[in-house]
Amino acid sequence: MPGTSVIGLQWGDEAKGKLVDILTTQHDIVVRYQGGANAGHTVVAGDQTYKLHQIPSGILHPNVINVVTAGVVLNPPTVLDEIDGLVDRGIRVDDNLMLSDRAHLIFPWHFVEDRLLNESTADGENIGTTLRGIGPCYRDKVGRSFAIRLGDMYQTDFRSHIERIVEAKQRTLAGLNGRAEDAMLDARKIYDEYSGYAERIEPHVADTTAFLLDAVEQNQRLLFEGAQGALLDVDHGTFPFVTSSNSSGVGVSSGSGIPGRWINRVIGVIKSYATRVGGGPFPTEQDNDIGQHIRKLGNEYGTTTGRPRRCGWFDAVAARYTARLSGVDVLSIMMLDVLSELAEIQVCVAYDLDGKRIDNFPSHVEQLRRVQPIYETLPGWRQDVTQIRCLEDLPENARAYLECIGELLSRPVGVVSVGPDREQTMFIESAMAT
Ligand code: IMP
């Protein structure tokens, strides 16, 4: 069975881009199956840094096919900018990039809606979206009446489709805050603009579901690249402080159209600590010197929005939940080097909820707000690990920390990363083979 999936087990930004980039050499096709331009995957290759939002990280390898499937929401101008930026830097982008004709499109009204809705609060707190129109586009997809898919741009009724939706959206937007300028959408201008995008994107548009079903039946090797992290999953995450797609492992099949029986290995990616961007509860958050230290050494600022990330200790209750939810076989622990200067490191092993110890991740956000982390304290290693290339050479306390995480999550550690470069990655072959 030919499929591997790479899933972030926290709130996103677990450095999945680097792992996908390395694993790509063992695969024929890289698949992006949910999310949109809210994602930011940073890949460092030699002296070059690439920041990808909608195009799979596999694009940096010329012999790999990159597929963006039906579960993704696409913003055509940013896809084209990304393509242009890659081509300018000598990266091949032609028939190695396929975009699903079923993917839903983001339009200017989605950005306005995202901004207006994000100004309001959920449960007294701002969701803090990336303002990329993601939630409104997914809402229109599920609502159906105002949705436009990539394949719709090539139909004869595309213009009238836009006119009808603009008329309705103008009323909706005016109702959201009453400001006239927010509701000023010009259907003709939007049609002309998107017709231009349609022409440029057309060589990449395909029925990716059929392509991938053929590929797995022909035993091609697929790598599924998750965006965001499992705790932001719209159904299973910290709702309502989530994104609008199934970002945990359960979303791979619905987003790509490939049944789970074709996925034989799931790699769960975690940082050696925890971060979160935007609003919502974060039990192990360290809004103090420790958090600032982690932010500084980990350069914890959003790839997409540049916002400072909230930082805290590793939360094994949350990661154990998402590892089970995502069917994780093996763990990849990133950014171990960021903790190297600390004398002591804390790991959240359980929660205290209203005076009772619990090991399960609560389903309701209000309970999650009330939990107190129960920590275990481990000694730090206080030694630079960025030049280490083999697990055995890591300081004993660093190895003990990795073992502790593996035991708490009941999964072997198969990858350890000690810096942004491809070379700063150790693979534990025995664990990866399981
Ligand atoms: P949206 O996906 O833009 O609607 O944002 C919803 C929530 O998900 C916000 O808290 C965002 O900060 C968060 N979010 C969305 N995409 C990412 C990501 O790629 N990494 C981390 N957080 C994200």
Side-chain angles (χ1 to χ4, degrees):
M1 285 198 283
T4 295
S5 63
V6 174
I7 308 290
L9 299 184
Q10 295 158 309
W11 280 282
D13 309 309
E14 293 92 357
K16 299 179 291 292
K18 164 173 155 166
L19 185 64
V20 169
D21 178 57
I22 296 173
L23 294 174
T24 295
T25 53
Q26 303 160 18
H27 293 85
D28 305 302
I29 301 172
V30 179
V31 184
R32 172 80 192 275
Y33 54 89
Q34 45 77 225
N38 49 350
H41 291 165
T42 306
V43 181
V44 179
D47 59 352
Q48 298 286 313
T49 300
Y50 299 91
K51 290 186 188 296
L52 299 162
H53 299 282
Q54 293 177 106
I55 295 182
S57 315
I59 201 74
L60 304 175
H61 298 257
N63 300 323
V64 166
I65 306 285
N66 295 273
V67 180
V68 178
T69 68
V72 173
V73 290
L74 283 176
N75 184 34
T78 55
V79 176
L80 289 166
D81 279 353
E82 223 168 305
I83 293 176
D84 291 344
L86 287 164
V87 171
D88 283 351
R89 294 170 76 180
I91 306 290
R92 175 167 95 87
V93 187
D94 41 53
D95 58 0
N96 57 346
L97 175 66
M98 297 169 76
L99 306 174
S100 171
D101 58 352
R102 293 180 172 93
H104 283 251
L105 293 186
I106 296 186
F107 279 84
W109 50 83
H110 292 131
F111 285 93
V112 183
E113 281 180 72
D114 203 1
R115 179 167 54 77
L116 296 181
L117 289 170
N118 197 51
E119 282 163 9
S120 59
T121 57
D123 289 337
E125 197 176 346
N126 192 288
I127 291 183
T129 74
T130 59
L131 301 175
R132 298 295 188 275
I134 306 295
C137 183
Y138 274 114
R139 195 184 48 208
D140 281 343
K141 161 179 165 167
V142 180
R144 293 150 298 165
S145 308
F146 303 135
I148 301 183
R149 307 203 292 181
L150 188 45
D152 295 333
M153 293 205 291
Y154 306 99
Q155 308 304 314
T156 48
D157 63 352
F158 181 42
R159 181 194 287 265
S160 60
H161 211 141
I162 288 201
E163 283 166 354
R164 182 179 61 78
I165 294 175
V166 162
E167 215 183 297
K169 287 288 177 183
Q170 265 162 338
R171 284 194 300 272
T172 316
L173 294 177
L176 276 179
N177 82 337
R179 276 207 313 253
E181 63 270 26
D182 285 326
M184 280 192 349
L185 297 167
D186 183 336
R188 193 184 155 158
K189 210 170 130 211
I190 295 172
Y191 170 75
D192 288 345
E193 195 183 320
Y194 275 69
S195 298
Y197 301 145
E199 205 179 311
R200 284 203 57 206
I201 279 181
E202 195 167 12
H204 301 288
V205 180
D207 178 350
T208 61
T209 311
F211 173 79
L212 291 179
L213 287 171
D214 286 345
V216 286
E217 285 165 13
Q218 288 158 13
N219 233 16
Q220 297 219 38
R221 299 162 303 169
L222 268 57
L223 181 60
F224 295 90
E225 175 179 29
Q228 289 87 43
L231 291 167
L232 290 175
D233 187 292
V234 65
D235 291 309
H236 307 286
T238 52
F239 190 88
F241 301 97
V242 292
T243 191
S244 300
S245 60
N246 286 118
S247 52
S248 70
V250 297
V252 179
S253 289
S254 59
S256 67
I258 297 304
R261 67 189 290 262
W262 294 108
I263 300 160
N264 64 332
R265 184 172 58 170
V266 181
I267 304 176
V269 190
I270 48 182
K271 283 179 185 170
S272 62
Y273 48 92
T275 61
R276 168 159 215 178
V277 207
F282 179 4
T284 61
E285 180 168 16
Q286 298 297 302
D287 191 8
N288 53 28
D289 288 352
I290 297 280
Q292 273 177 31
H293 175 84
I294 293 176
R295 185 176 309 114
K296 186 164 162 243
L297 292 196
N299 191 24
E300 291 294 355
Y301 295 88
T303 309
T304 302
T305 60
R307 291 180 287 178
R309 294 178 183 142
R310 300 157 65 191
C311 299
W313 296 120
F314 182 75
D315 183 342
V317 181
R320 189 165 51 227
Y321 164 60
T322 50
R324 294 171 67 208
L325 174 69
S326 301
V328 166
D329 299 300
V330 60
L331 298 169
S332 177
I333 304 186
M334 316 304 279
M335 328 257 308
L336 185 68
D337 52 302
V338 173
L339 302 184
S340 288
E341 289 178 16
L342 296 170
E344 285 186 335
I345 297 169
Q346 297 200 293
V347 183
C348 169
V349 294
Y351 294 150
D352 178 309
L353 176 62
D354 304 333
K356 204 172 147 212
R357 182 184 169 113
I358 58 165
D359 298 308
N360 283 338
F361 193 70
S363 56
H364 200 282
V365 74
E366 283 312 320
Q367 290 171 317
L368 194 59
R369 282 192 207 286
R370 293 207 303 278
V371 301
Q372 294 297 324
I374 298 173
Y375 288 114
E376 212 168 86
T377 304
L378 280 84
W381 44 93
R382 308 205 84 168
Q383 183 186 321
D384 178 23
V385 293
T386 55
Q387 304 309 318
I388 294 178
R389 299 290 176 267
C390 159
L391 197 70
E392 290 71 43
D393 295 339
L394 280 173
E396 199 183 324
N397 288 350
R399 275 185 284 135
Y401 184 64
L402 298 174
E403 263 164 42
C404 170
I405 292 181
E407 271 167 30
L408 286 166
L409 270 54
S410 309
R411 268 122 183 123
V413 176
V415 186
V416 178
S417 168
V418 290
D421 289 334
R422 284 175 182 163
E423 293 71 37
Q424 293 173 298
T425 318
M426 298 171 241
F427 283 83
I428 298 104
E429 293 305 334
S430 54
M432 291 302 277
T434 53

